[in-house]
Amino acid sequence: MRPDELARSMLGWYDRHRRVLPWRAPAGGTADPYHVWLSEIMLQQTTVVTVGPYFQEFLRRWPTVADLAAADLDAVLHAWAGLGYYARARNLHKCARVVVDRYGGRFPDNEQELRQLPGIGAYTAAAVAAIAFDRRATVLDGNVERVMARLFAVEEPLPGSKEKLRALADTITPDRRPGDYAQAVMDLGATVCTPRKPKCPQCPWHDGCAARAAGIAESLPRKTPKADKPTRRGMAFWLLNPEGAVLLRRRPENGLLGGMIEVPSGDWLERPAQSLAAASVQAPAAAAWRLLPGLVRHTFTHFHLELQVAAARLGAGDGDGWKRADGIWVPVDRLSEHAVPTVMRKVVRHALGSIGVP
């Protein structure tokens, strides 16, 4: 099948089978660039099913990019909790401000300018340009990679074959309806050309698929084996003041969970678990720390984390120095009001499960 035939058959399939998604314009409608951008940032490393409620809640609270730009960052981080990768939320907020301050609240309509915005890389720039502005742009996400690897029987493993797949995808991307075409290929990968047991008879590219003809479709795309994730270890410090409030603090802006609120913790390093005496030099205050039984375990993209939790309570005899602590004192029943990431919510549950509510 020629490239123009492939594009035409894909658009015909999309017109019959397009998914209904909260951020997608109806057939023949005009896409809202804010909706497209917001959904694409949310969908990075996250499923459509998970994103739907978050997207709708964001629109309820911040209906326009100007509303989002004017929002408090902590409120955005709190609303983001559960989507992970909090750097995306910080960049989302930063990008909204740039769009308002530099572009008067209108997203630029081309890949080059879009890539200059915070948090927007090659994929997102292409997706927004194509879907929101119908610019010819080659969109390559995981679904499109899989479809192209199978269509052209590319056996070189990812991620090394990414640029080859992009170039092949570009040969098919049409000048007409490029936004619909991009969404069509992503829909095909999500619903028909699935990672396991692809539904080849339902595919509009059935006759032109080299991997199907060779009987290797389900084995593609190949991927370079991932190295085992290392395990880092650290100590979290659950400190209560005489009034029963717990100490929280903000993590540094740069780095993992940057700018998020945490139960104070020491360094997370690849090392054996530290003794309480060794770890307590990083405690937020001098106190009678005791180690709680068990561990808090969490997995990030590049490593596993194991946290021990030490607990202490300051009494009236400790003076009022706690009032000057580096952080904020939060009543336990109001912890949910703060943008606490998932790993720290696990620490909270672990501490409350061990010592109860004060």
Side-chain angles (χ1 to χ4, degrees):
M1 298 176 71
R2 299 192 313 269
D4 61 320
E5 293 175 328
L6 290 168
R8 188 164 52 251
S9 63
M10 180 58 64
L11 286 167
W13 175 86
Y14 183 66
D15 289 339
R16 296 188 301 274
H17 301 289
R18 60 185 289 150
R19 291 183 293 176
V20 176
L21 300 172
W23 46 85
R24 181 173 286 177
T30 301
D32 185 318
Y34 174 56
H35 294 186
V36 175
W37 163 75
L38 178 61
S39 65
E40 289 297 339
I41 299 299
M42 287 183 166
L43 285 165
Q44 294 170 14
Q45 306 293 326
T46 315
T47 66
V48 166
V49 172
T50 299
V51 165
Y54 283 90
F55 175 81
Q56 292 171 324
E57 176 63 12
F58 263 69
L59 286 191
R60 185 190 68 78
R61 297 182 65 175
W62 304 296
T64 69
V65 69
D67 294 321
L68 183 59
D72 181 75
L73 175 59
D74 278 346
V76 175
L77 292 172
H78 191 265
W80 190 269
L83 283 175
Y85 299 92
Y86 287 94
R88 289 186 293 152
R90 295 196 303 276
N91 281 329
L92 185 86
H93 188 250
K94 189 183 300 183
C95 182
R97 290 189 166 183
V98 172
V99 169
V100 169
D101 294 343
R102 188 181 303 170
Y103 295 96
R106 294 179 177 270
F107 282 86
D109 64 0
N110 61 85
E111 287 182 86
Q112 183 177 358
E113 285 187 273
L114 285 164
R115 289 199 66 174
Q116 304 306 309
L117 297 175
I120 294 187
Y123 163 74
T124 305
V128 174
I131 299 169
F133 300 105
D134 217 29
R135 301 289 189 187
R136 187 189 183 282
T138 300
V139 178
L140 194 77
D141 71 348
N143 283 319
V144 180
E145 287 175 347
R146 182 169 58 259
V147 171
M148 294 301 150
R150 290 171 175 173
L151 178 65
F152 294 100
V154 176
E155 298 192 53
E156 296 95 322
L158 286 165
S161 61
K162 185 180 289 287
E163 289 310 311
K164 180 176 182 178
L165 295 173
R166 188 186 307 278
L168 291 169
D170 186 63
T171 66
I172 309 174
T173 302
D175 294 322
R176 175 177 169 272
R177 298 178 63 189
D180 282 346
Y181 171 81
Q183 293 175 100
V185 183
M186 289 190 281
D187 275 11
L188 185 80
T191 63
V192 174
C193 195
T194 49
R196 296 180 180 84
K197 297 183 178 179
K199 306 174 184 68
C200 295
Q202 301 177 24
C203 180
W205 288 349
H206 174 275
D207 294 339
C209 181
R212 182 204 60 79
I216 59 172
E218 194 165 357
S219 69
L220 298 180
R222 306 197 196 287
K223 295 183 180 181
T224 302
K226 294 181 180 180
D228 291 338
K229 292 182 181 180
T231 298
R232 299 183 187 177
R233 297 175 177 86
M235 185 83 69
F237 300 94
W238 180 261
L239 182 63
L240 298 172
N241 68 17
E243 298 172 357
V246 64
L247 180 66
L248 301 180
R249 70 182 179 190
R250 188 179 300 278
R251 289 178 64 84
E253 288 296 325
N254 297 323
L256 188 64
L257 304 181
M260 300 296 294
I261 300 295
E262 71 162 356
V263 175
S265 67
D267 297 330
W268 302 348
L269 301 175
E270 294 178 42
R271 63 186 175 195
Q274 284 186 300
S275 68
L276 178 57
S280 62
V281 297
Q282 294 186 309
W289 294 101
R290 62 186 179 89
L291 200 59
L292 300 182
L295 292 172
V296 171
R297 293 183 172 88
H298 189 75
T299 295
F300 292 97
T301 304
H302 301 298
F303 65 93
H304 302 293
L305 177 65
E306 292 182 353
L307 289 177
Q308 296 176 289
V309 180
R313 180 163 189 164
L314 300 173
D318 294 311
D320 62 358
W322 58 269
K323 295 181 180 179
R324 297 184 293 276
D326 179 20
I328 54 174
W329 294 98
V330 179
V332 171
D333 61 359
R334 298 187 66 181
L335 287 172
S336 62
E337 299 175 12
H338 295 267
V340 180
T342 300
V343 62
M344 291 301 157
R345 292 205 297 269
K346 291 181 179 180
V347 171
V348 170
R349 288 196 297 269
H350 185 79
L352 293 178
S354 297
I355 60 179
V357 178

